[in-house]
Amino acid sequence: MPLPLPGGASHRPAPRRRRAGGAALVLANVVALLAAPLGLAGLAGPRAEAATASCAWTLEISGDQVNALYPDEAARYWVALMPIPPGGRAEIKGAFPYARYASFNTYTQTTEAIDAIHDAQIRPDRGSRNPFTAGARRDVARRDYTVAVVNGPKPGRGVPANTIYTANGGKTSITTNVAYRIYEPDLGRDLTGDVPLPAVDVYSADGEKVFAYPACPDVQLPDLGVTVTLANAGVETTPGQTLGLPSLGAPATPVWSKFVNLPTALVDLVTSNDVLNPLNGPLRGPTSSLLPTGGFGENVDNKYISATTSGDHGSVVLIRGTMPTVVHTRQGQRTMGSGQLRYWSLCTENLLSQYYACVNDDLVPLDAQRRFTIMVSTAAARPANARTECGVAWLPSGPLHQTVLLLRNMLPEPGFRHAIQQVTPGREREQMGRYYPRTRYLATPADAVRAVGCHAPASMG
């Protein structure tokens, strides 16, 4: 079941589910490796209903399916392993969902993004309209599109509309990982935003159709409640107490760093403590500049900062900052609005790249100046005022002594210079200004109550 939120809200959209299964290359293998310790591998089974979906989408990444590669709780990610002949293409035919955001990304076998296209960039089919462009009607009935995935290098100029590419550094592969994302379907809509998963046809370089993916029974992994159980596990700790579990610790003052690539993330993790922190700069520079960017199946429309926290320094983590303005769609708004960001969220994660829980911009109470207060603790140490009615959002820290905090910024307006996208690594606090999440520890839940009190929020998100 979904993780309860302050005020009784739930992160998840309507409970209708879609298919999940297995994939064969490294992206799926990484997910399977991370899922295996939780006993999730090989548990797919048919739904009670005789629903079908395109056989192309063989893997669903989400909290109740395969929770890996740092997903967002308000999103679903479907992965297709497409065998496209060199110079050929796959045609993806679908309908724009009733949701905050949708996109397609292609990936290397080691999970770095190659190319992408998001909703507002997709030209609709003849007779249809795109509901994601600024000011567009979101309730249009005809909303079809066609996107091509070409197995080849992206041209330097003259890129055809609705086309993404698979070649990384000019190198093609027989098979391509394509991820389809949907963020935050409108209230009352299903997990795919009330549209079917897209159909996929594959064509050779000379334009001959090689095959069309058929419809398959809609299957899923059984929801064992693993994510919720992990999120709510853990005991109340006091500074200096250890749980006898492996932990690399964390600095006494949490530091947020921009994600650059996999090696840099590893450097941040290993040096994220007061003892090894002097090594961070000398190690981070070469890994940031000399190695390929990206990894963890990142979304090119998001940029991320993360911080590592530890129960060694206090049982409650207090996070304060200012929320950018965002595009709101969750209530089924009639037109597509605008904002400094398309989407904002903060998640708690573990080192296996699983999320415990997330709060996005729609779920965070704000004061009149759009300032927020978020507390992170184990469920056992949740402060009494860590609830919506007191103007505080809460996130579980999970059962381990160490927790990763991950903040997303999606599709900033060009003029929003404080977005993570505009930040130089190492200058996060300076360049994000009031939008930087100022973070500190509080020793006990009682300290959190005294430090923050209880004040009614001015608004939500």
Side-chain angles (χ1 to χ4, degrees):
M1 64 179 187
L3 179 69
L5 291 178
S10 170
H11 291 278
R12 292 185 188 166
R16 184 176 164 190
R17 307 191 185 218
R18 294 285 171 175
R19 59 177 290 148
L25 283 186
V26 171
L27 179 58
N29 290 337
V30 170
V31 172
L33 177 64
L34 296 173
L38 300 178
L40 297 181
L43 293 178
R47 290 178 55 187
E49 308 94 65
T52 60
S54 170
C55 292
W57 308 103
T58 55
L59 178 75
E60 180 187 328
I61 298 177
S62 61
D64 61 349
Q65 296 299 293
V66 178
N67 184 352
L69 302 180
Y70 297 114
D72 188 295
E73 190 173 359
R76 287 295 187 278
Y77 314 73
W78 290 270
V79 180
L81 182 66
M82 297 184 184
I84 306 173
R89 74 186 190 280
E91 281 194 356
I92 302 174
K93 290 183 172 291
F96 294 104
Y98 295 85
R100 178 85 68 96
Y101 165 89
S103 71
F104 296 95
N105 283 236
T106 56
Y107 290 95
T108 68
Q109 295 182 18
T110 51
T111 74
E112 293 95 2
I114 299 172
D115 200 8
I117 189 169
H118 68 257
D119 44 41
Q121 297 173 324
I122 298 174
R123 186 177 297 172
D125 290 348
R126 184 181 298 274
S128 290
R129 298 176 66 183
N130 186 332
F132 285 95
T133 57
R137 285 281 298 267
R138 298 187 61 248
D139 57 354
V140 293
R142 299 187 64 180
R143 49 202 301 128
D144 298 327
Y145 63 81
T146 303
V147 168
V149 181
V150 174
N151 189 7
K154 188 172 186 175
R157 58 181 179 178
V159 177
N162 292 11
T163 304
I164 57 177
Y165 295 82
T166 70
N168 182 44
K171 297 179 180 179
T172 60
S173 176
I174 296 176
T175 53
T176 297
N177 285 305
V178 180
Y180 172 50
R181 287 173 166 83
I182 295 178
Y183 273 68
E184 198 182 45
D186 295 1
L187 282 176
R189 305 286 184 177
D190 68 18
L191 299 179
T192 60
D194 268 5
V195 298
L197 290 176
V200 180
D201 297 337
V202 178
Y203 294 82
S204 65
D206 60 8
E208 180 181 356
K209 183 183 286 190
V210 177
F211 67 93
Y213 281 94
C216 289
D218 196 358
V219 298
Q220 65 177 32
L221 296 166
D223 186 359
L224 303 178
V226 173
T227 296
V228 175
T229 300
L230 287 175
N232 289 290
V235 299
E236 182 177 344
T237 63
T238 57
Q241 179 183 355
T242 63
L243 300 178
L245 297 173
S247 173
L248 297 175
T253 300
V255 176
W256 294 80
S257 299
K258 183 175 180 177
F259 173 72
V260 178
N261 57 23
L262 289 170
T264 303
L266 180 60
V267 167
D268 287 341
L269 175 64
V270 172
T271 63
S272 185
N273 56 72
D274 292 329
V275 176
L276 298 178
N277 190 61
L279 299 176
N280 182 270
L283 293 174
R284 206 174 202 275
T287 59
S288 297
S289 59
L290 300 179
L291 296 173
T293 59
F296 290 117
E298 83 279 16
N299 181 356
V300 301
D301 293 324
N302 282 333
K303 293 300 177 187
Y304 316 85
I305 57 174
S306 64
T308 305
T309 63
S310 171
D312 289 329
H313 304 298
S315 62
V316 180
V317 177
L318 178 64
I319 306 169
R320 282 174 156 162
T322 299
M323 174 82 67
T325 59
V326 296
V327 179
H328 288 292
T329 59
R330 188 167 182 253
Q331 302 296 328
Q333 280 81 350
R334 187 175 181 183
T335 59
M336 193 67 178
S338 61
Q340 292 168 320
L341 299 176
R342 175 76 74 85
Y343 181 85
W344 180 104
S345 72
L346 178 65
C347 301
T348 50
E349 324 262 0
N350 64 31
L351 301 182
L352 291 177
S353 77
Q354 300 164 315
Y355 79 75
Y356 294 130
C358 305
V359 285
N360 65 28
D361 45 65
D362 280 325
L363 301 173
V364 178
L366 305 174
D367 69 11
Q369 286 74 47
R370 297 190 61 79
R371 294 176 299 201
F372 63 81
T373 298
I374 299 173
M375 293 182 187
V376 178
S377 71
T378 63
R382 180 173 178 170
N385 61 338
R387 51 193 176 92
T388 299
E389 296 90 329
C390 288
V392 179
W394 175 80
L395 284 168
S397 59
L400 303 178
H401 221 40
Q402 188 180 49
T403 303
V404 177
L405 309 178
L406 185 69
L407 177 66
R408 284 176 172 82
N409 281 186
M410 177 187 285
L411 289 176
E413 288 183 334
F416 183 45
R417 61 187 179 89
H418 299 293
I420 298 172
Q421 281 81 348
Q422 307 299 328
V423 166
T424 302
R427 301 180 64 188
E428 292 86 354
R429 184 183 184 101
E430 170 193 351
Q431 294 180 350
M432 290 184 70
R434 66 181 181 274
Y435 302 100
Y436 179 86
R438 287 161 173 79
T439 309
R440 65 188 177 98
Y441 293 97
L442 297 170
T444 67
D447 290 330
V449 172
R450 285 190 290 269
V452 175
C454 184
H455 308 280
S459 66
M460 290 288 290

